[in-house]
Amino acid sequence: MLREVSSLDCILADARVWKLKDASAAPTRPVWSTGCSSLDARLPGGGWPTASLIEVLLDQTGLGEVQLFLPALVECQRRTGPGKTEAPWLVWIAPPHEPYAPALAQQGIELTRLLVVRPAGATEALWAAEQALGSGVCAAVLLWLKGTDDRWLRRLKLAAEAGGALGVLFRPARHRFESSPASLRLLMTQVSMRLVSIYSRCKAADRALSILATATAYEIAGGGIADGGFICRGGCFTRADARA
């Protein structure tokens, strides 16, 4: 019996053996507030996790997915790191529509530190996202894709962790049944012309699916950000340049 215990200890001591750690004992990861306390309360950790990959699954683009992250993008640009005088970069890769600069500036985005990348294809988009996430000079990287494999998703997650950036991947809702290494997955569905429901799932051991009920659906309309709903003052895309 003693020999069996010793053998088990040797196996567990091997660096090649992956061990599941207690999720409750893991250190709390810093988060960016969503700007809406009711939404923060429903997200693991109380906001968008930093140095990680978030996957947002969409019924269609233009549901307010960018507005959902705007408060965090504005805040992370305002917080410069030690010894740095310039705001960190925000990178948007392959957005489906042309970003509307006046609306972004009105929300508080520093346009001189916003980089929009128009890659030729999915492979180039994924490469650009990996480089930006791992660069250490980007606060957040937003990437729109129609689909990708699990291998690339893991590479993006590792790059985000290494560079300390917030990585957000937007994909069609049909991918919701596929496995994903993302720390947090969101499903945005349209309830009406003004309301969207958000379903979230945290990738942690034995954690049940967390539902943000339609009763507290998030409104995409004029106004500001308020508890009980995420309200956007204006569109961040110009539909005149919509892309297929």
Side-chain angles (χ1 to χ4, degrees):
M1 183 66 180
L2 182 60
R3 180 177 299 176
E4 292 178 359
V5 173
S6 178
S7 299
L8 179 59
D9 289 339
C10 292
I11 294 174
L12 293 176
D14 194 321
R16 295 170 296 176
V17 177
W18 180 82
K19 298 182 285 294
L20 176 65
K21 297 180 181 180
D22 183 2
S24 62
T28 303
R29 179 175 293 173
V31 299
W32 293 111
S33 172
T34 65
C36 178
S37 59
S38 62
L39 180 54
D40 285 344
R42 289 168 171 79
L43 291 176
W48 306 126
T50 59
S52 63
L53 179 67
I54 298 174
E55 186 178 6
V56 182
L57 303 161
L58 305 168
D59 272 349
Q60 63 185 54
T61 58
L63 293 180
E65 63 270 22
V66 173
Q67 290 91 325
L68 193 64
F69 291 92
L70 266 182
L73 298 182
V74 172
E75 183 62 23
C76 70
Q77 273 199 324
R78 290 175 178 171
R79 295 188 188 180
T80 56
K84 298 180 179 179
T85 57
E86 291 185 313
W89 285 95
L90 302 179
V91 182
W92 293 13
I93 301 174
H97 311 292
E98 193 66 29
Y100 188 50
L104 292 172
Q106 183 181 20
Q107 294 288 334
I109 296 294
E110 189 173 330
L111 298 180
T112 57
R113 305 296 287 180
L114 172 63
L115 180 64
V116 179
V117 181
R118 295 291 188 188
T123 301
E124 291 81 2
L126 288 163
W127 180 87
E130 183 180 32
Q131 299 304 308
L133 286 168
S135 67
V137 297
C138 297
V141 178
L142 276 58
L143 169 64
W144 285 261
L145 281 181
K146 292 183 178 179
T148 187
D149 57 34
D150 184 74
R151 180 180 63 89
W152 261 110
L153 292 180
R154 292 185 183 280
R155 288 178 61 169
L156 294 180
K157 181 182 179 182
L158 291 174
E161 292 174 349
L166 168 63
V168 183
L169 170 64
F170 300 105
R171 290 204 296 169
R174 65 176 181 270
H175 294 288
R176 64 186 181 275
F177 300 112
E178 301 172 6
S179 62
S180 172
S183 301
L184 178 65
R185 302 186 84 190
L186 304 175
L187 172 64
M188 291 186 68
T189 60
Q190 187 167 11
V191 178
S192 67
M193 290 297 293
R194 293 164 61 89
L195 295 176
V196 293
S197 286
I198 303 173
Y199 302 82
S200 71
R201 185 168 188 173
C202 176
K203 188 176 180 62
D206 301 323
R207 189 178 186 93
L209 186 65
S210 173
I211 299 297
L212 305 187
T214 305
T216 56
Y218 294 85
E219 183 178 3
I220 308 302
I225 298 172
D227 286 337
F230 182 93
I231 305 172
C232 173
R233 293 177 187 165
C236 295
F237 289 130
T238 171
R239 295 295 181 177
D241 294 311
R243 303 175 188 272

